[in-house]
Amino acid sequence: MPYSDKYWQKEEVLPKKELEEIQLRRLKWVVRHAYENVPFYRRAFKEKGVHPDDIKRIEDIAKLPFTTKEHLRENYPFGLFAVPKEKIVRIHTSSGTTGKPKVVGYTAKDLENWINLCARCLYMVGIREKDVFQNMVSYTLFTGGLGFHYAAERIGAMVVPSGTGNTKRQIQFMLDFGTTAIHCTPSYALHIKEVAESMGIDPSEIGLKIGCFGAEPWSESLRKKLEDSFGLKAYDSYGLSEMNGPGVAFECEEQNGLHIWIDHYVVEIIDPETGEVLSEGEKGELVLTPLTKEALPLIRYRTGDITFVMQDECSCGRTHPKIHRILGRTDDMLIVRGINVFPSQIEHVLMNLPEVGDNYQIVLTKRGALDEMTVRVEVRDEFFTGELADLERLKRKIENALREELGIRVNVELVEKGTLERFEGKAKRIVDLRS
C-alpha cells in the first residue's frame, strides 16, 4: 500500500538528518559485509590500508577503494557476490556488447528493495491503479524490463509486457488496450512517432499521458519534441545494472533534475581523471555505493556517467537530493581536435531545428593529422524540396548552430527521411572511423 496519495514510501519525505543517519548506519553495514564476504574487497581494503572500523561518518567513504566495470568482468561471473549461490534468486547482466557481460545477482530481499525503488519512481510521476503501462524494453537479461514491470504491478497498474520491436503492433496495442503510460528508450519513442505517422495515426491521439525514458543520454530539446508529438509528459529515468537496474534516480513532476534515493545509495561526484571528490554543484563522474544490496555490495562504483548534484530543495516535498540529467559518459565523450564533445550536445541543437527529422548520425574520420566530424541529418519531408539553394542554406544553418554550441567546425550532410538506421533499444549514433 502507498504511504499517501502522493508518496509511495514514507522514506521519500524523511527529514534530511534522519536520512543521513540511515545512510551512515547502512554504509557501515555494507562496508563490513563486503569486507567479510568478498575476498576481492578484503584484499583491496588492505592494499588501501583501510578497515571497516575506519568508517565513522559518511565522508570517510573517500578512504575506500573504487570499484570499476573491469573489476566486475575480472571476477566474472560470481566473484564479487557476498552471499552463497543458493541465496541468489535471480541474475541479470549488463546490456554491453563488448567483452564479458557484468553479472549482477539478487537475493529475495534485494528484489523487494528494487521493486519498491522502481515503484517510488513510477508513483512519483503519477502512475496509479487506473493506468495501462506498456513496457517496451527487453525482457531478457537486461534489467530495464522486469524492474519496472514488477513495480507497475505492485502499484496496481495494468502492465502490457510488450518488449521491444514490432512497432506497428506496439501502436495497435496502445490503441486497443488504452495505454496511458509507456517505458522505452527516447530514440525508440521517436521511432514509434515516425511509424504511427506512416500508418496515418496522429501520435497525440493515441492517448498517452506519461512517458518514462532512459537507458541513453537525451536532451531537453528531445523531451520537448516527444511531449509535443504525443501530448504526454516525458520523464527521465536513471539506473544501471550494477546498482539493480532502473530505480536509482528519477524525475518528479517538476522535471528539473532526478531525485536519487540516498537511503539506498551514497552519491559522490569525482574528477574522472584524478579520482578527487568534487564539491557540490561541480560536474564530474557519478560514483555510487549501494547501501542495501546483500548479493552484490559494490563499494564506490564508478558509473562512467557525467552529471552534478543539484542541492536546491524541491517543491514536490521529497527530501532526497537531485542529480542533473546525465550529460554524457566518460567513454562516450568525443575528443575532436582537442575539444570535448558529448553526443547529447549535438542532439540538443538538432532537435531544436524545425527542419530536422528524428534521426541523425555522427561520423568521425581523419584528414591527415586532423579529426573531422560529419553529422548526417535526416531532413523532414516538407523541407526536402530538392532545390539545391534551399538545401545549401539549411546545411549552413545547421553547421553554424553546431559550431556555436560545440566551438568547432562540423560538416553536415543532409539525407532524406528513412536513410539512417532505426533502433529498438539503445541508439548507436556514433561511427568512429579514425582508427
Side-chain angles (χ1 to χ4, degrees), residues 93-162:
T93 68
S94 64
S95 56
T97 54
T98 56
K100 288 179 178 175
K102 302 184 287 287
V103 177
V104 293
Y106 306 77
T107 65
K109 188 176 177 184
D110 290 339
L111 285 183
E112 185 65 15
N113 282 331
W114 184 26
I115 290 167
N116 277 311
L117 284 173
C118 287
R120 283 185 193 182
C121 299
L122 297 183
Y123 202 78
M124 180 163 63
V125 297
I127 291 176
R128 298 291 186 270
E129 283 186 358
K130 67 183 187 308
D131 283 297
V132 178
F133 179 76
Q134 193 158 324
N135 202 17
M136 298 181 288
V137 293
S138 171
Y139 266 78
T140 54
L141 288 163
F142 175 57
T143 53
L146 289 174
F148 277 149
H149 177 107
Y150 284 114
E153 281 187 347
R154 179 70 59 91
I155 289 169
M158 182 197 295
V159 178
V160 182
S162 55

Side-chain angles (χ1 to χ4, degrees), residues 296-360:
L296 190 63
L298 299 177
I299 304 297
R300 301 191 82 199
Y301 186 75
R302 295 186 61 160
T303 67
D305 293 314
I306 303 296
T307 184
F308 58 90
V309 176
M310 306 165 67
Q311 282 298 338
D312 49 321
E313 289 188 7
C314 188
S315 59
C316 78
R318 289 171 183 83
T319 47
H320 296 251
K322 294 187 289 190
I323 56 171
H324 189 275
R325 70 188 311 146
I326 300 302
L327 299 163
R329 288 189 50 78
T330 52
D331 52 5
D332 273 356
M333 186 178 74
L334 309 171
I335 301 175
V336 182
R337 298 196 290 279
I339 303 291
N340 296 344
V341 175
F342 287 109
S344 55
Q345 291 176 280
I346 293 170
E347 179 185 278
H348 179 69
V349 170
L350 298 179
M351 294 299 136
N352 260 326
L353 298 170
E355 302 93 339
V356 171
D358 300 333
N359 280 280
Y360 64 94

Side-chain angles (χ1 to χ4, degrees), residues 269-283:
I269 304 291
I270 65 165
D271 181 317
E273 298 296 323
T274 66
E276 176 194 355
V277 178
L278 300 175
S279 304
E280 287 176 8
E282 286 193 272
K283 184 171 69 176

